[in-house]
Amino acid sequence: MKEGESRKRKRRRRHNSNSKPQDQESYQSKSTAKTTAKKHKQDTVKNNEQQYEHHQTSAAASAKRPKPSSFLDKMRARLSGGHFRMLNEKLYTCTGKEALDYFNENPALFDMYHSGYQEQMSHWPELPVNIIVKWLKDHSPSLVIADFGCGDARLAKSVKNKVFSFDLVSNDPSVIACDMSNTPLNSSSVDVAVFCLSLMGINFPNYLQEAQRVLKPSGWLLIAEVKSRFDPNTGGADPNKFSKAVCDLGFAPVSKDFSNKMFIMFYFKKKEKQNSKSKEIQWPELKPCLYKRR
């Protein structure tokens, strides 16, 4: 009996001795698997963090970098603005005849100028042409109008009156291309002469003389000009001296409007009886209206 129990104990010891290495191997294998899984998880988290940081950096760089179309638009606007300033300065510092010849050689420059002009006008809170349109609508639609320096002929398109539109280049069948000191109109043939920001040439008195010629007796002369050109404190002309010169040309003053911060308005009427004796008129110099680079 004792011998049998002794044999059983020996077999259990041998069995336990044989299974112990297997248990150690199993434990080590599980431990290695856990370590590998933990490292894989850490690597995954780190990789995700790196991807997120790269995405954030790329997004920030992309936000700072201008879009190609936006960048090109800005460059085109700068070039267009530069061309406009150059053309604008030329128109203010040459005669009407020189300006006419200049644009006849390259009519595309006239389109470039007016594109820049429209862009500048878009910043004005109120446009003088709208004031003139309102004035005309308050008067008879039978009045015949001469628009000196009409641009895009907005005035003619806004009223029912017969309008003769003049400018240096004609891109519209209703616009007559000419030097504004020498229009094809007959003498005493129109009721209203309009100069809306168009007294630009150094020989601007010749434009006003032409207006005096084509206006009927008691005809209206409406002038809208940039306000800074009539500010003596900044080198502009004295508005009273300008008004006197226009009156010496054969007009009577009716009113002036200085209420707008961007432009001023002059209203004159041609005298019924003109002085047969010509006298030398002292015209004040109108400084050029030059736009600064933005």
Side-chain angles (χ1 to χ4, degrees):
M1 183 74 178
K2 290 182 179 178
E3 186 178 347
E5 289 178 353
S6 175
R7 283 197 296 270
K8 287 180 180 180
R9 282 195 292 269
K10 287 180 181 180
R11 282 197 297 269
R12 279 199 294 271
R13 281 197 296 269
R14 282 198 300 270
H15 175 73
N16 290 338
S17 176
N18 291 335
S19 64
K20 188 172 183 180
Q22 292 179 355
D23 290 341
Q24 288 177 343
E25 287 180 11
S26 177
Y27 173 80
Q28 291 175 352
S29 177
K30 288 179 181 180
S31 176
T32 301
K34 286 182 180 180
T35 303
T36 302
K38 183 177 181 181
K39 187 176 185 304
H40 177 70
K41 185 176 181 180
Q42 290 174 342
D43 290 342
T44 301
V45 171
K46 185 176 182 181
N47 186 48
N48 289 340
E49 290 176 347
Q50 290 175 342
Q51 288 181 351
Y52 176 78
E53 290 175 356
H54 176 73
H55 175 74
Q56 292 293 93
T57 303
S58 299
S62 178
K64 291 180 181 179
R65 192 186 310 122
K67 294 181 180 180
S69 60
S70 175
F71 178 74
L72 289 174
D73 288 343
K74 288 181 179 179
M75 289 301 296
R76 290 191 189 102
R78 283 188 178 183
L79 288 172
S80 178
H83 287 143
F84 167 73
R85 286 188 293 273
M86 177 193 73
L87 294 170
N88 183 70
E89 181 173 353
K90 182 170 185 63
L91 288 175
Y92 273 107
T93 56
C94 70
T95 66
K97 179 65 168 59
E98 290 169 342
L100 180 65
D101 293 340
Y102 181 74
F103 284 122
N104 278 339
E105 292 177 3
N106 194 345
L109 292 177
F110 188 75
D111 297 333
M112 188 180 297
Y113 167 76
H114 271 284
S115 294
Y117 173 82
Q118 294 296 339
E119 199 281 329
Q120 292 291 335
M121 290 297 101
S122 68
H123 300 289
W124 285 31
E126 188 173 28
L127 300 180
V129 67
N130 294 335
I131 301 296
I132 295 171
V133 167
K134 184 180 183 304
W135 185 93
L136 290 169
K137 287 182 176 180
D138 290 338
H139 291 73
S140 172
S142 65
L143 296 178
V144 179
I145 304 163
D147 185 5
F148 290 80
C150 64
D152 58 2
R154 183 180 301 186
L155 180 62
K157 297 170 184 175
S158 304
V159 297
K160 296 179 180 179
N161 306 66
K162 170 64 178 175
V163 180
F164 293 98
S165 302
F166 302 108
D167 216 320
L168 296 169
V169 174
S170 173
N171 292 325
D172 188 305
S174 66
V175 177
I176 302 169
C178 68
D179 175 1
M180 293 191 301
S181 65
N182 184 24
T183 70
L185 293 176
N186 294 327
S187 298
S188 302
S189 59
V190 301
D191 301 290
V192 184
V194 173
F195 290 87
C196 185
L197 307 180
S198 55
L199 293 178
M200 299 182 72
I202 57 176
N203 65 323
F204 73 88
N206 298 136
Y207 306 159
L208 295 172
Q209 289 170 0
E210 179 67 358
Q212 191 271 350
R213 181 186 72 82
V214 303
L215 274 171
K216 298 175 183 178
S218 299
W220 287 90
L221 173 63
L222 274 56
I223 301 173
E225 263 305 331
V226 179
K227 200 168 189 176
S228 61
R229 301 188 78 192
F230 290 92
D231 184 357
N233 296 321
T234 58
D238 184 333
N240 293 322
K241 289 182 179 180
F242 175 79
S243 182
K244 182 182 182 305
V246 175
C247 290
D248 289 342
L249 186 59
F251 290 91
V254 178
S255 65
K256 289 181 287 193
D257 184 358
F258 286 73
S259 62
N260 194 284
K261 70 176 185 178
M262 304 300 289
F263 59 89
I264 63 175
M265 294 288 308
F266 294 94
Y267 299 85
F268 299 93
K269 288 193 80 171
K270 183 178 177 179
K271 294 175 182 177
E272 286 279 353
K273 293 182 178 181
Q274 295 292 306
N275 191 344
S276 58
K277 294 181 180 180
S278 60
K279 57 181 288 188
E280 185 178 352
I281 301 174
Q282 299 297 320
W283 291 97
E285 181 181 355
L286 295 184
K287 73 172 186 177
C289 179
L290 305 180
Y291 293 93
K292 295 180 181 179
R293 183 173 181 179
R294 291 180 178 275

